Amino acid sequence: MIDFYLNGKRRQCADIPPDCSMLELLRGPLGHTGTKEGCASGDCGACTVAIGEPTADGSLNYHTVNACITPAHQAQGAHLVTVEGLSRGDALHPAQAAMVECHASQCGFCTPGIVMSLFVLHETQRTRPAPFTQQRLESALGGNLCRCTGYRPIRDAALQMADQPDTHPTWADDPSLPGAVASLCRDVMGRTEGASPGHYTIPRSLEALRELKRERPEARLVAGATDLWLETTQQLKPLDDLIDVSRVEELNRVEAHPEGWWVGAAVTYSRLAPLLDAEFPAFGRLLHRFASMQIRNRGTLGGNVANASPIGDCPPVLLALDARLLLDGPDGERDMPIDAFFLDYKQTALKANEFIRGIFLPRSEARQLKVWKLSKRREDDISAVLAAFAWRLEDGVMRDVRLAFGGMAAIPLRVPAAEAALEGQKPDEAAFAEAKRALRRELSPMSDVRGSAEYRLVAASNLLERLRLSLDMIPTDNGMEVMLDAYAH
């Protein structure tokens, strides 16, 4: 049974299969066909809907998701809003009215998803006002593809929505709804019944998760489902035994310690962003190149690690930072360095009944970090090469050098020989030339549609050269960097 609110009204749906997506639930049993299916992979945003979840202050926090790759069962105890639920009689929501007045809809297929992204932007502005910058607008709409290339009027509509007086009643004006959703959430999250014809279970505690892994070690774990769900939408594989870890309290914590931060495996990228922006700015900037807002709202750092993709964006950064993992299960916990976790393509050190409980990010004020991603598109694209470099300068020489790459082998990896060429050396041309030679000796990249092996080798070498040049730059008042005179020519 999925028990939730849909556009302000309570709904209960029984006998929903574990691998039913939110999009299938809406367009099928619920008959809400305004939400469209486009790519079925979370790339185009035509299926964007909003999920409102209770907060500690008694309000509802709305965020966008791709309904095509979000499990229907994740609506449990939440408020699901679709494009059908925005207007009040003849009164359009400000997002809808602005789209109409600016002639921002052409073929109309992607319009519902765009409107839903603007709806969440509008609700966020109401509850947490902030300057309406171009960067904020691009972030909100970065996951919505307009196939008619009508971005200028869409942008105009967003700006008009921000400027016009807000007199439209919204979900935030219903004083009873947040309490009703919160009460439902507390009630239904303790349920552990199966989902016909399989199992979809949502544990709330670490102990409950351990017990489920003891009973069903072969069950698949799901958090944001941003990668796992492609198995059913793209490969048509059944997912009939799932354990949803997204509500496990211990996996949703970010804990600060003198030595660093423990990040729970179910913490989403959107929740993690403020910490990264403050403590690891290069890592934080990577998130703006990492998928879309819809994906960042559901995807998790733990899932990116557990997925063990050779082109995952976060593992190389974690390798460069000397991160650690806490593995857990019914047989106890294990703490291991992240470079011991990846064994081979899609193979990890996780046992069948284990899960990732948290990721430790070490604190080091002296350590510097650079992260560069190469991809065919600036936003919402998979890496061809990702490089993460960490080091500290001590008396003019490089110490604790870590050079990590994604997209270069079957697993994300460090290059010890290249690190050794820089360790204890001045960051000069000779040292980096030796590091680049070691890089070419040690790496045998793959070739695929994103780049040939030779391209990846050249790119990795060029990124090392970029690191050398960046060490000879100084910051300016406007936040830019300029070359020192010695390298200006």
Side-chain angles (χ1 to χ4, degrees), residues 138-194:
E138 289 180 357
S139 180
L141 291 173
N144 291 96
L145 172 65
C146 172
R147 292 165 172 83
C148 301
T149 65
Y151 289 109
R152 185 196 55 77
I154 292 170
R155 176 182 179 276
D156 292 345
L159 295 174
Q160 179 167 311
M161 179 190 75
D163 290 339
Q164 64 189 19
D166 186 8
T167 59
H168 183 276
T170 71
W171 303 115
D173 299 308
D174 183 346
S176 65
L177 184 60
V181 175
S183 176
L184 177 63
C185 183
R186 288 191 298 268
D187 177 46
V188 302
M189 282 301 108
R191 301 177 186 171
T192 58
E193 70 266 20

Side-chain angles (χ1 to χ4, degrees), residues 255-262 280 321-322 324 360-365:
E255 300 176 347
H257 298 271
E259 302 82 14
W261 296 266
W262 275 109
F280 306 94
L321 292 174
D322 285 329
R324 302 200 319 270
F360 185 74
L361 304 178
R363 187 194 304 267
S364 177
E365 295 181 0

Side-chain angles (χ1 to χ4, degrees), residues 118 121-122 125 130-134 136-137 155 158-159 161-162:
L118 292 179
L121 182 61
H122 180 270
Q125 185 68 13
F132 202 85
T133 63
Q134 179 67 21
R136 190 174 175 213
L137 174 57
R155 176 182 179 276
L159 295 174
M161 179 190 75

Side-chain angles (χ1 to χ4, degrees), residues 7-39:
N7 296 330
K9 297 180 180 180
R10 188 169 176 178
R11 301 297 296 263
Q12 294 177 318
C13 299
D15 298 324
I16 303 301
D19 53 6
C20 176
S21 71
M22 203 169 279
L23 178 68
E24 292 174 308
L25 179 67
L26 288 171
R27 293 184 61 84
L30 296 175
H32 281 54
T33 55
T35 305
K36 307 304 181 184
E37 180 172 16
C39 63

Side-chain angles (χ1 to χ4, degrees), residues 44-60:
C44 75
C47 66
T48 300
V49 296
I51 294 180
E53 296 177 332
T55 63
D57 64 4
S59 63
L60 291 175

Side-chain angles (χ1 to χ4, degrees), residues 303-385:
N304 200 233
V305 173
N307 185 39
S309 169
I311 51 175
D313 283 345
C314 293
V317 187
L318 299 176
L319 286 168
L321 292 174
D322 285 329
R324 302 200 319 270
L325 301 178
L326 181 61
L327 310 184
D328 206 328
D331 299 328
E333 32 180 82
R334 293 192 291 155
D335 189 322
M336 70 165 51
I338 192 168
D339 57 6
F341 182 74
F342 303 106
L343 304 180
D344 204 341
Y345 179 73
K346 291 284 189 174
Q347 295 182 20
T348 71
L350 271 176
K351 298 177 182 177
N353 62 355
E354 283 186 321
F355 53 89
I356 299 176
R357 177 173 165 183
I359 302 96
F360 185 74
L361 304 178
R363 187 194 304 267
S364 177
E365 295 181 0
R367 173 174 286 182
Q368 301 182 57
L369 176 70
K370 292 284 187 181
V371 182
W372 288 304
K373 173 177 176 174
L374 301 181
S375 58
K376 293 186 176 183
R377 296 194 306 266
R378 182 169 66 94
E379 294 178 321
D380 200 10
D381 199 11
I382 297 172
S383 298
V385 177

Side-chain angles (χ1 to χ4, degrees), residues 135 269 272-290 296 317 321 369 371:
Q135 180 180 2
Y269 297 116
L272 185 59
L275 170 64
L276 298 185
D277 288 339
E279 303 294 340
F280 306 94
F283 199 173
R285 286 191 294 272
L286 174 65
L287 289 192
H288 297 291
R289 298 280 311 278
F290 189 103
R296 295 194 294 270
V317 187
L321 292 174
L369 176 70
V371 182

